[in-house]
Amino acid sequence: MAVALPLTPGCRIGVLGGGQLGRMIALAAAPLGLKTHVFAPDPNSPAFDVAAERTVAAYDDEAALALFADSVDVVTYEFENVPAETAKLVAAHKALFPNERALATTQDRLVEKTFLRDLGLPTPNFAAVDDRASMAAALGAVGRPAVLKTRRFGYDGKGQVLVREGLGIDQAVAMMGGQPAILEAFVPFRAEVSVIAARGRGGDFAAYDIVENRHENHILRSSHVPAAIKPETAASAIAIAKKIVEALDYVGVIGVELFLVDGPAGERVVVNEIAPRVHNSGHWTIEGAATSQFEQHVRAIAGWPLGSTRTRGEVVMTNLLGAEANRWRELLAEPGAALHLYGKGEPAPGRKMGHVTRVK
Amino acid sequence: MAVALPLTPGCRIGVLGGGQLGRMIALAAAPLGLKTHVFAPDPNSPAFDVAAERTVAAYDDEAALALFADSVDVVTYEFENVPAETAKLVAAHKALFPNERALATTQDRLVEKTFLRDLGLPTPNFAAVDDRASMAAALGAVGRPAVLKTRRFGYDGKGQVLVREGLGIDQAVAMMGGQPAILEAFVPFRAEVSVIAARGRGGDFAAYDIVENRHENHILRSSHVPAAIKPETAASAIAIAKKIVEALDYVGVIGVELFLVDGPAGERVVVNEIAPRVHNSGHWTIEGAATSQFEQHVRAIAGWPLGSTRTRGEVVMTNLLGAEANRWRELLAEPGAALHLYGKGEPAPGRKMGHVTRVK
């Protein structure tokens, strides 16, 4: 890992990935006097529109990666599936935040869940599944209903299927499609919440208020702050996020998704998954908090003091999926609605085209 | 003037000028799904860092201007000294907002003051000065003290000198430096205020709360909202801005600077000057109003509905001039201070390097 001095205005941030998260990082970096260099394979990447420098190249293009890393002062990423080799190559040239360990831990659901369990954090029961024998063992240990997930490359519910009561071992094995998987106990949650938090280079930590998230077809539909959660449960969720970032020596913004569960001992949280990056459920912070998650991420990776995470009111962030973005004119005319469009071309069904935030 | 349909997301805005105002326009356009193409002669222009497209060319490069105008859906500008020929060429290719008349009127102090007087708006007494004879006549008509200003290319107090009591005609003529000038009566103001307002393509109008401005060495030091002004005086100032934009068939954000004067009939305003663009005294709106002046300008020129101008609290915007920008680390650590750095290279004395906004 290359050593990095704190940035100064005029410095350059390298971002691996050119989607809306990279775009919003670049938009937050500019007012702080920092330039952004975006590296992405797709020449139509939304983040290119607001970046000072652009590299169009594949994530395994070693020469392009080396030039990119050498041209900037620090590197970050906007998606967790940055290949391990890519991260390693970049980190050999320039400080990478969050670090390679954060990537390696969160790219593989089995590694991630094991990491969480080893930290003593509440997770669903889970077991690795590689073949018929391990599936039989997993179903015995975890029970049904359970959720069968591919270990890698899952997002927005992709690579997840429900293993219902009564479903046989052979049927479950067929659902794996030959991919290494993890079987997790189904959690009968009352709500889904997330912690958006940040850790600075010096170990300083700051969390936003807990976010309540509503999903449709496994895709985030809306985020709500404040969440309907008891203060002590919120405190335990934030303590979980803090434990995670400290264990990973994490620098930057992190999203920790949790299930809120009602049990005989009252309300409690169970960790669902970790995103080592700015997170869709943190978009509300642009208008709804004193410092946006994007500015907070930039501050953290720059080695600068974290900003205030104070919430400004009752906030609802709603994703604009697919053709919903065609409602832009109506949203522009709605007083108090802050529209964000990502500059993507085609509004395919379920594709995140933008979001709208309302603060009361 | 080319006809322009309302823009749709994905459209391109062309901006003449690459300074901090163009930069903040581009930063506001992106979340609305619009791309920005910046045209500026200096390859180190701050606005280039956040623009989707860049043209480095002189303002009299007709071929480059034509290519630029053809590549975008509407053109605007971030400084009022766009040469008339440049504006004419661009407007022949693409809709230009604000229009050529707004530019021509505000580029020349004599034309501007005459326009205001002809509209029946309160201005200081003034007279054109081209030579010794007209200086003698002007001093007779306007009196002393007076302010002698070059007709063109003045900003931040450049091209202005005070003609004190007792100063002779020959001395005053010598101060002209051979430039066509205007002599204006000195206004014994209590305060300087500004109206930041916008007019849409359909004639819709919206003004922000009146801003009180403090200057040092003729350069804006800080802007304060709310201003210490009576509601009826504020209403008359906003009515003045409305009359100006309607007379010019103006589209976009305008800054109208006024003197607040105490007289026998009570408090009143006198128009000082007009800026046909987003304005330094409107930077507070980024955090301090429901819609920033930059987003408002984009909405107006796009043919979209104007946003809410509601003020969010007590707001103070302070410019960071020259080496003051070196205080960035301290400002980053101050809770509630929103830092904006413009990405400029050298902090020359008095140069606007950034600003900081505090909302209470």
Side-chain angles (χ1 to χ4, degrees):
Chain A
M1 176 80 167
V3 172
L5 294 173
L7 304 193
T8 52
C11 280
R12 288 167 191 270
I13 292 178
V15 178
L16 290 165
Q20 66 267 22
L21 301 180
R23 179 177 167 101
M24 290 186 274
I25 289 169
L27 287 170
L32 300 176
L34 300 170
K35 298 178 203 291
T36 303
H37 184 161
V38 171
F39 186 110
D42 180 353
N44 294 317
S45 295
F48 284 162
D49 288 348
V50 290
E53 304 288 340
R54 299 138 203 185
T55 296
V56 180
Y59 292 120
D60 61 0
D61 183 335
E62 294 190 7
L65 285 168
L67 277 173
F68 163 74
D70 287 342
S71 78
V72 298
D73 298 285
V74 64
V75 178
T76 188
Y77 45 88
E78 56 123 47
F79 68 117
E80 60 269 45
N81 290 319
V82 173
E85 283 303 309
T86 304
K88 191 176 170 184
L89 194 149
V90 165
H93 285 253
K94 202 60 49 98
L96 177 71
F97 296 124
N99 60 24
E100 294 174 76
R101 192 174 162 213
L103 271 175
T105 305
T106 57
Q107 282 180 351
D108 183 312
R109 292 183 194 279
L110 180 62
V111 176
E112 180 178 310
K113 283 283 186 324
T114 306
F115 161 77
L116 293 168
R117 189 177 58 189
D118 290 352
L119 274 181
L121 300 177
T123 65
N125 280 337
F126 66 89
V129 181
D130 296 301
D131 51 23
R132 194 179 190 286
S134 50
M135 177 65 85
L139 286 170
V142 171
R144 299 180 184 85
V147 184
L148 181 68
K149 302 178 176 178
T150 54
R151 282 176 56 176
R152 301 178 73 91
F153 304 118
Y155 70 98
D156 286 352
K158 289 183 176 64
Q160 296 192 20
V161 285
L162 188 69
V163 178
R164 297 177 190 280
E165 305 269 1
L167 196 86
I169 293 173
D170 289 327
Q171 289 167 292
V173 170
M175 288 157 68
M176 285 173 58
Q179 296 290 314
I182 177 174
L183 191 75
E184 298 180 11
F186 177 81
V187 177
F189 57 83
R190 189 185 83 214
E192 292 174 279
V193 299
S194 57
V195 178
I196 306 297
R199 186 165 177 268
R201 288 203 206 165
D204 42 324
F205 175 85
Y208 292 93
D209 283 341
I210 305 293
V211 191
E212 188 171 336
N213 299 311
R214 299 182 192 156
H215 291 80
E216 276 174 23
N217 304 319
H218 297 282
I219 299 171
L220 183 65
R221 157 56 52 201
S222 59
S223 293
H224 305 254
V225 176
I229 188 172
K230 290 180 182 166
E232 57 270 29
T233 320
S236 75
I238 289 171
I240 286 169
K242 189 156 191 278
K243 204 159 182 179
I244 290 169
V245 292
E246 287 177 353
L248 292 171
D249 193 20
Y250 192 96
V251 173
V253 163
I254 194 168
V256 180
E257 299 182 47
L258 308 103
F259 298 119
L260 190 60
V261 181
D262 287 323
E267 186 181 87
R268 67 193 174 87
V269 286
V270 174
V271 183
N272 179 21
E273 62 180 61
I274 308 170
R277 51 168 169 79
V278 290
H279 195 257
N280 194 169
S281 74
H283 291 359
W284 65 272
T285 58
I286 297 177
E287 290 82 16
T291 308
S292 82
Q293 68 164 345
F294 302 100
E295 175 174 338
Q296 192 77 309
H297 186 69
V298 170
R299 285 170 172 256
I301 66 173
W304 291 355
L306 299 180
S308 162
T309 54
R310 189 174 53 78
T311 299
R312 285 179 168 156
E314 286 181 41
V315 193
V316 179
M317 186 289 307
T318 307
N319 273 338
L320 299 173
L321 304 173
E324 291 169 4
N326 296 337
R327 291 178 53 223
W328 59 271
R329 204 169 210 292
E330 172 193 334
L331 293 166
L332 275 175
E334 180 189 323
L339 177 67
H340 296 260
L341 295 175
Y342 303 150
K344 295 182 179 178
E346 286 306 305
R351 191 175 189 203
K352 291 175 180 172
M353 302 299 292
H355 72 267
V356 58
T357 301
R358 298 170 175 94
V359 184
K360 272 185 206 164
Chain B
M1 178 76 168
V3 172
L5 294 172
L7 303 193
T8 52
C11 280
R12 287 167 191 273
I13 292 177
V15 178
L16 291 164
Q20 65 266 24
L21 301 180
R23 179 178 167 100
M24 290 187 274
I25 290 171
L27 287 170
L32 300 177
L34 300 170
K35 298 178 204 291
T36 303
H37 184 159
V38 171
F39 186 110
D42 180 353
N44 294 317
S45 295
F48 284 162
D49 288 347
V50 289
E53 304 287 340
R54 300 137 203 187
T55 297
V56 180
Y59 292 121
D60 61 0
D61 183 335
E62 295 192 6
L65 285 168
L67 277 174
F68 163 73
D70 288 342
S71 78
V72 298
D73 298 285
V74 65
V75 178
T76 189
Y77 44 88
E78 58 122 48
F79 68 116
E80 60 269 44
N81 289 321
V82 173
E85 283 304 309
T86 303
K88 189 176 172 186
L89 195 150
V90 165
H93 285 254
K94 203 59 49 95
L96 177 72
F97 296 124
N99 60 25
E100 292 174 78
R101 192 172 162 214
L103 271 175
T105 304
T106 56
Q107 282 180 353
D108 183 313
R109 292 183 194 278
L110 181 63
V111 176
E112 180 178 309
K113 283 283 186 324
T114 306
F115 162 77
L116 293 167
R117 188 177 57 189
D118 291 351
L119 274 182
L121 300 177
T123 65
N125 281 337
F126 66 89
V129 182
D130 297 301
D131 50 23
R132 195 180 190 287
S134 50
M135 177 65 86
L139 285 169
V142 171
R144 297 181 184 82
V147 185
L148 182 67
K149 301 177 177 179
T150 54
R151 282 177 55 175
R152 302 178 73 92
F153 304 118
Y155 71 97
D156 285 350
K158 289 184 174 63
Q160 297 191 20
V161 284
L162 188 68
V163 179
R164 299 176 190 279
E165 305 269 3
L167 196 85
I169 293 173
D170 289 327
Q171 288 166 292
V173 169
M175 287 157 69
M176 285 173 57
Q179 296 291 314
I182 177 173
L183 190 75
E184 298 179 11
F186 177 80
V187 178
F189 58 82
R190 189 185 82 213
E192 291 174 279
V193 298
S194 58
V195 178
I196 305 298
R199 186 165 176 268
R201 288 203 206 164
D204 42 324
F205 176 85
Y208 292 92
D209 283 342
I210 306 292
V211 190
E212 187 170 337
N213 300 311
R214 300 183 192 154
H215 292 82
E216 275 176 25
N217 305 319
H218 297 283
I219 299 171
L220 183 65
R221 157 56 53 201
S222 60
S223 294
H224 305 255
V225 176
I229 188 171
K230 291 181 182 167
E232 58 270 28
T233 321
S236 76
I238 289 171
I240 286 169
K242 191 158 189 277
K243 203 161 183 179
I244 291 169
V245 292
E246 288 178 352
L248 293 171
D249 193 19
Y250 191 96
V251 172
V253 163
I254 195 167
V256 180
E257 298 183 47
L258 308 103
F259 297 121
L260 190 61
V261 182
D262 287 323
E267 187 181 87
R268 65 190 176 89
V269 286
V270 174
V271 184
N272 180 21
E273 64 180 60
I274 308 170
R277 52 168 169 79
V278 290
H279 194 256
N280 194 168
S281 74
H283 291 359
W284 65 273
T285 59
I286 297 177
E287 291 83 16
T291 309
S292 82
Q293 67 164 345
F294 302 100
E295 176 175 337
Q296 192 77 310
H297 185 68
V298 170
R299 284 171 173 255
I301 67 174
W304 291 354
L306 298 179
S308 163
T309 55
R310 189 174 54 78
T311 300
R312 286 180 168 155
E314 285 181 41
V315 193
V316 179
M317 186 290 309
T318 306
N319 273 338
L320 299 173
L321 304 174
E324 292 168 2
N326 296 338
R327 291 178 54 223
W328 60 271
R329 204 167 210 293
E330 171 193 334
L331 292 167
L332 275 176
E334 181 190 323
L339 177 66
H340 296 260
L341 296 174
Y342 302 150
K344 294 181 179 178
E346 285 307 305
R351 190 174 190 203
K352 291 175 180 171
M353 301 299 292
H355 71 268
V356 59
T357 300
R358 298 170 174 96
V359 183
K360 272 184 205 165

